[in-house]
Amino acid sequence: MALTEELLLERIRSGKLIEGPEYATERYIEGLKRTLIVSADTELISAPAYFRAAQDAPNINAYISATGIIQDELGHAHIAYRLLRDLGVDTDALVFERDPKDFKHPYAFDVPLESWTELVVANAFYDRAGFVLLGDVYRHTSYAPWKRALVKVDREENFHLRHGERWMEILAQDPDKKRELQRAVDWMFVLTLEWFGLPDHLKRHTEQIAYGLKGKTN
Ligand SMILES: [Fe+2]
Ligand SMILES: [Fe+2]
């Protein structure tokens, strides 16, 4: 049975979840793929960015907690690419053959993180942004397989941002470290804003809200 746009929108408005592509329209699936690619790319690219900064960990325990976060991020990327593969996307081509310029991660990950201080501010700010954005998807998305997959992601992102906030408190107690922390906050806060995207009236694609892929506007 061909599903019309009207029927799909009516189902979504009545709070029904979409269990797979066979219950959606082409346009819904295209919007879903676009949203999933941004999420998958962001998770994947965070791993090398964090790994670089983790080399500056102050001790072995700190290094281990950072590598734990990096492992989580690769798991999150795997979840999103796996959902894309289930939608028929060639994810090997996406990950291994795409031009680096075509990856859809926030600009923040194109600016290298050079120190432990910058890593923990990234946890506090970038993971917080990811937590807000994915937490909205987790609570409001109409796509059931993504909603279920985000139970684990939501919990882990919460751990990442707390790791960042806890370390920011530790660093702020030392006057030298506090100055370094303030320098990181000054440039990284601005880059965090970009994670939330363009104001809604400037967006080119509007299906995220219409289809209930997420709940909150930018
Ligand atoms: Fe993540
Ligand atoms: Fe994270």
Side-chain angles (χ1 to χ4, degrees):
M1 186 196 78
L3 183 63
T4 62
E5 285 294 321
E6 295 76 61
L7 196 55
L8 174 67
L9 288 170
E10 194 186 301
R11 277 191 193 170
I12 291 168
R13 274 195 294 267
S14 72
K16 290 210 178 73
L17 295 179
I18 309 301
E19 279 296 339
E22 60 275 36
Y23 303 102
T25 59
E26 190 82 13
R27 198 165 163 263
Y28 177 99
I29 295 301
E30 287 314 307
L32 174 63
K33 283 182 191 168
R34 204 176 294 116
T35 311
L36 275 169
I37 287 174
V38 174
S39 178
D41 288 355
T42 303
E43 304 280 14
L44 180 65
I45 298 300
S46 73
Y50 288 178
F51 187 66
R52 175 193 173 96
Q55 308 311 307
D56 184 46
N59 56 55
I60 189 72
N61 281 340
Y63 183 75
I64 289 168
S65 60
T67 49
I69 289 171
I70 293 159
Q71 188 181 0
D72 289 345
E73 302 301 9
L74 291 173
H76 302 169
H78 179 70
I79 287 170
Y81 288 123
R82 174 58 209 259
L83 289 164
L84 282 162
R85 180 140 48 98
D86 291 345
L87 294 170
V89 175
D90 181 351
T91 50
D92 285 345
L94 267 190
V95 174
F96 298 109
E97 288 158 33
R98 207 166 11 146
D99 188 326
K101 289 198 294 294
D102 293 333
F103 276 73
K104 303 290 185 199
H105 56 278
Y107 176 66
F109 283 135
D110 285 334
V111 183
L113 301 172
E114 307 274 10
S115 66
W116 184 254
T117 300
E118 290 179 354
L119 175 62
V120 301
V121 175
N123 285 153
F125 286 5
Y126 302 168
D127 287 278
R128 164 70 74 177
F131 181 74
V132 170
L133 293 163
L134 279 180
D136 174 39
V137 174
Y138 170 46
R139 271 175 284 283
H140 298 117
T141 188
S142 57
Y143 194 62
W146 200 8
K147 189 181 184 74
R148 284 192 288 271
L150 286 176
V151 174
K152 165 189 155 75
V153 177
D154 194 67
R155 229 176 270 147
E156 290 172 351
E157 291 303 349
N158 190 33
F159 165 73
H160 301 173
L161 72 91
R162 282 181 200 291
H163 176 263
E165 290 176 355
R166 192 166 47 81
W167 266 100
M168 284 178 76
E169 280 170 15
I170 293 168
L171 295 174
Q173 285 159 22
D174 174 314
D176 286 342
K177 286 286 170 196
K178 187 172 183 178
R179 270 190 294 276
E180 192 187 324
L181 186 62
Q182 185 64 56
R183 275 199 303 277
V185 166
D186 288 345
W187 70 265
M188 294 175 73
F189 181 80
V190 180
L191 292 194
T192 307
L193 299 179
E194 196 241 349
W195 284 63
F196 296 93
L198 288 171
D200 291 273
H201 70 283
L202 297 176
K203 282 183 64 156
R204 275 175 302 145
H205 302 290
T206 54
E207 68 284 316
Q208 287 182 329
I209 296 290
Y211 286 134
L213 295 171
K214 58 179 207 166
K216 291 182 179 146
T217 64
N218 285 1

